[in-house]
Amino acid sequence: MKERFVGKALVRPGGRAEVLEWSGEGALEVAQSEDVLLACLEGEVGVSRWGRGFRLEAGEVVRLRPGSYALKGQGRLFLVRFGLSPEALSGDHEALMALLEALPAKEAAEALARLFEAHAAKEEALFYPLLSPGAARERALEHRLLRELIGELLKAVREGREIAGIVARLKGALEAHMEAELG
């Protein structure tokens, strides 16, 4: 269960790092869309999953795959998360919904299009490779539909046409996409 870190094994860009002052017992969650490197800087911490475990001592670095881990002990840990967390995806989705509320301003429509393209690129590069082929195909179709609706919205805003129907369809499609992605 203890897997030593090998640089080539980790290919996901993106993520974040944090230092944890660990004392006692608790859980560490690794999302399906993430890989985690856990380094013990000081002390000693027991790491277990599914009844199997190991001790992580100062100077050791291990890779944790998606799942829930129980940590017990005392030490200073350095945690590096690679990939997209559900919180990052959720934050992007919330920002997209907020921009929909700011319509019909042309600037809001253009910002929505830019934000969606950045979000879609992130998902397609970091999240979709982790999905089954069928699920990845469904998410790609959702992105295609959202792109078409955003294009229709931009055109309607530029031409000064009514956008209420487009916005309603876009909200529905975005909510369905969020539900499918984050459960």
Side-chain angles (χ1 to χ4, degrees), residues 75-182:
R76 193 164 183 218
L77 304 173
F78 184 60
L79 180 73
V80 182
R81 294 181 185 269
F82 293 91
L84 283 177
S85 69
E87 295 82 23
L89 290 175
S90 181
D92 282 357
H93 293 153
E94 289 172 13
L96 288 166
M97 291 300 263
L99 284 169
L100 280 173
E101 300 300 324
L103 294 172
K106 180 181 177 187
E107 295 79 15
E110 291 170 349
L112 176 73
R114 283 191 305 273
L115 179 60
F116 179 76
E117 284 306 319
H119 171 75
K122 232 187 324 188
E123 283 183 351
E124 290 166 2
L126 303 176
F127 185 57
Y128 286 17
L130 306 172
L131 300 174
S132 69
R137 193 169 29 260
E138 287 175 13
R139 299 295 87 72
L141 287 172
E142 290 168 8
H143 277 188
R144 182 177 168 192
L145 172 64
L146 288 165
R147 281 186 175 105
E148 288 175 6
L149 287 170
I150 289 170
E152 188 178 337
L153 174 70
L154 285 169
K155 185 176 179 182
V157 167
R158 287 183 189 127
E159 294 173 356
R161 292 186 286 125
E162 176 60 37
I163 62 167
I166 301 168
V167 170
R169 290 193 335 254
L170 189 52
K171 277 185 183 178
L174 188 57
E175 287 170 354
H177 176 68
M178 289 166 37
E179 178 68 28
E181 220 165 65
L182 300 173

Side-chain angles (χ1 to χ4, degrees), residues 3-12 35 37 61 63 82:
E3 183 180 339
R4 295 218 177 266
F5 167 65
V6 179
K8 294 178 187 174
L10 226 75
V11 294
R12 293 182 207 170
D35 268 325
L37 291 182
V61 178
R63 176 183 183 182
F82 293 91

Side-chain angles (χ1 to χ4, degrees), residues 21-26 44-46 70-75:
E21 299 293 338
W22 196 267
S23 181
E25 295 182 29
E44 186 175 291
V45 176
L71 302 182
K72 183 177 182 179
Q74 188 167 355

